[in-house]
Amino acid sequence: MNADVPNYDRVAKPAHVPDELVVDFDYFHPPGIDEGTVYTAWRRLHDGPDIVWTPHNGGHWILTRAEDIRWVQETYQTFSHEVFTIPRGASPVRMPPLTVDPPLHARYRAVLNPSFTPKRVQALGEQVRALTIELIEKLRPLGRCEFVGQFARIMPVTIFLGIVDLPLDRRDEFVEWAVGYIDASDQPTKDHYLGKVVAYLREVLDARAAEPGDDLLSRIAGWRGNPRFGGEHEVIGMAMLVFFGGLDTVANMLSFTAWHLAEHPELHRRLRDDPSIAARAAEEYIRRHGLSNTGRLVKHDVTYKGVTFKADEMVMVPISMSSMDDRLHADPLTVDFDRETPAHDTFGNGPHKCVGAPLARSELSIFLEEWTKRMPAVRLDPAHRPHSHSGSVNGVSSLHLEWDI
């Protein structure tokens, strides 16, 4: 195989990997996902060793326990974020600050941080609430909806497009590009959508450089004038990171949350009767539904828990496995609004903690308030089974809901 092409095939087990740690697990197609959800499929790994190795997608390690996931997230000197996709290609996509380790990553975070300050998030919250109410009021008289397409990929995406000042009438096209890239399990498909995103963002960044505004992409374009500017890959990389992050993750969190509420009307009623618990409930839904399955590049040999990670190997950090770890969370699959829980790992730990976390929390909390206040008890449509999927981001492919009107 060409070294520039990521290897999605199975590979032979390296000699240093013990036989008892090998699992037949393809994270794009986890066994059992068609019988339940992406989470029940992943959780089967908890039946085995804490750390396992799979020959799929070029071969890589998988961490299954919260303490190990956090250890890798925080030990960036050994487990680098400069390559975060599995399978690994020889020419990885660079998206600073995501793909830059400390201390250099801080310079790129400084470009993004001003768009997510408490003051900015509070101001955006007013827009989130108004749009959430508008969408709910349109849906309620219909008695049914496909939640992913009719709500989840509208509300947070519309807010994001305002942050970056991109045209709202191209929302569906942008979502198609982002989801197509993130969910692709083959390189030609990834390259197809990545090409569209890069070409578009180059045009936008050039336009913002010529006529800057008060938006995030203008701030990114302005990095070209910074004395520490290291090349065009930094600007396009930051723009890509923002683009992909803004168009997919919150939509999936909203969808998993709506799915769960449809199956648990008692929680819907509790939120309706006591909206003051919405922020706490949102945090519990965020804990329960870890989304990202990203990789780390091993920089040098290290032995941990009796497992030897070799330099240049890849280690997968599946956040959902931390969310479902019964060593950290009692009865972890249960959504408990009264849970006295330790800090979860959904937004990451260490220097690469998600910059958009405050906005995501706000959006989910507002959704819970308005959805449970304005909608009657919602249930799954028995004619359409919901579907979830696995990949670099866990997600909901379709969610058909119905209610009495």
Side-chain angles (χ1 to χ4, degrees):
M1 175 172 287
N2 187 313
D4 291 328
V5 180
N7 183 4
Y8 286 84
D9 299 327
R10 296 171 64 106
V11 298
K13 178 185 75 69
H16 68 284
V17 176
D19 291 342
E20 62 270 21
L21 299 187
V22 178
V23 294
D24 186 16
F25 189 88
D26 177 358
Y27 82 103
F28 289 109
H29 310 285
I33 191 170
D34 294 330
E35 303 163 19
T37 71
V38 60
Y39 296 103
T40 54
W42 270 94
R43 198 172 189 232
R44 295 182 179 187
L45 290 178
H46 277 162
D47 295 335
D50 290 1
I51 301 170
V52 295
W53 185 89
T54 174
H56 289 274
N57 299 302
H60 61 91
W61 296 98
I62 304 176
L63 304 178
T64 73
R65 293 293 177 174
E67 64 176 350
D68 307 327
I69 288 170
R70 179 164 293 192
W71 173 67
V72 165
Q73 287 178 328
E74 295 178 345
T75 313
Y76 60 85
Q77 302 91 338
T78 301
F79 300 96
S80 174
H81 224 300
E82 67 185 49
V83 180
F84 68 97
T85 57
I86 293 177
R88 176 192 176 192
S91 302
V93 175
R94 291 179 286 183
M95 297 184 190
L98 180 65
T99 57
V100 179
D101 296 317
L104 295 182
H105 89 294
R107 62 181 57 175
Y108 307 109
R109 291 279 298 214
V111 178
L112 307 182
N113 286 340
S115 291
F116 301 98
T117 62
K119 183 177 180 181
R120 287 270 185 143
V121 170
Q122 183 177 5
L124 287 170
E126 299 174 7
Q127 300 175 37
V128 170
R129 190 175 300 278
L131 181 56
T132 297
I133 293 172
E134 177 186 342
L135 291 173
I136 291 172
E137 293 302 319
K138 287 180 179 178
L139 290 178
R140 189 173 58 196
L142 304 179
R144 64 183 61 250
C145 75
E146 194 291 294
F147 183 84
V148 178
Q150 292 180 267
F151 189 97
R153 296 208 181 280
I154 297 178
M155 186 273 277
V157 172
T158 299
I159 298 301
F160 165 73
L161 293 178
I163 293 173
V164 293
D165 193 21
L166 291 180
L168 187 57
D169 60 4
R170 296 188 67 176
R171 182 187 62 220
D172 292 344
E173 185 179 17
F174 295 153
V175 169
E176 178 189 353
W177 294 353
V179 173
Y181 174 79
I182 292 169
D183 291 348
S185 58
D186 65 273
Q187 199 60 32
T189 302
K190 275 192 174 294
D191 291 342
H192 170 75
Y193 288 110
L194 185 63
K196 289 180 176 292
V197 172
V198 170
Y200 178 73
L201 289 177
R202 287 192 189 282
E203 293 182 4
V204 172
L205 289 168
D206 288 344
R208 301 290 162 86
E211 297 184 29
D214 185 29
D215 62 275
L216 181 50
L217 288 179
S218 290
R219 192 174 298 112
I220 291 173
W223 178 250
R224 289 168 170 163
N226 191 288
R228 295 176 294 183
F229 174 62
E232 191 63 17
H233 66 278
E234 296 179 336
V235 172
I236 194 65
M238 280 191 280
M240 285 193 296
L241 176 63
V242 167
F243 186 90
F244 290 127
L247 292 173
D248 190 55
T249 52
V250 177
N252 285 314
M253 185 63 70
L254 287 168
S255 297
F256 280 120
T257 299
W259 184 343
H260 188 270
L261 283 173
E263 294 182 312
H264 295 273
E266 74 281 4
L267 296 182
H268 183 116
R269 288 193 297 271
R270 186 176 175 192
L271 281 160
R272 179 198 61 204
D273 295 343
D274 186 8
S276 68
I277 66 171
R280 189 166 76 243
E283 201 67 22
E284 173 66 349
Y285 275 117
I286 291 168
R287 176 207 67 82
R288 172 61 182 82
H289 298 104
L291 296 178
S292 66
N293 303 308
T294 57
R296 302 292 188 276
L297 175 66
V298 181
K299 300 297 286 187
H300 56 81
D301 293 5
V302 62
T303 299
Y304 173 79
K305 282 190 172 182
V307 174
T308 297
F309 302 97
K310 292 285 189 178
D312 214 40
E313 291 183 330
M314 292 298 297
V315 177
M316 175 161 283
V317 182
I319 294 301
S320 64
M321 297 301 288
S322 178
S323 301
M324 298 183 289
D325 190 349
D326 56 7
R327 299 177 191 171
L328 180 63
H329 308 288
D331 193 13
L333 295 185
T334 296
V335 172
D336 180 2
F337 296 163
D338 300 313
R339 181 185 298 275
E340 294 183 5
T341 182
H344 57 72
D345 302 319
T346 298
F347 292 122
N349 295 289
H352 291 291
K353 192 162 186 172
C354 177
V355 68
L359 179 58
R361 285 187 166 101
S362 175
E363 289 175 323
L364 185 57
S365 180
I366 290 170
F367 164 74
L368 288 173
E369 288 181 42
E370 300 298 341
W371 182 258
T372 56
K373 177 172 68 175
R374 298 172 183 276
M375 292 290 286
V378 173
R379 56 189 177 269
L380 299 180
D381 184 342
H384 301 277
R385 180 178 175 271
H387 292 280
S388 58
H389 59 265
S390 179
S392 58
V393 176
N394 295 329
V396 179
S397 306
S398 64
L399 177 61
H400 291 266
L401 304 174
E402 63 178 20
W403 54 90
D404 297 329
I405 55 175

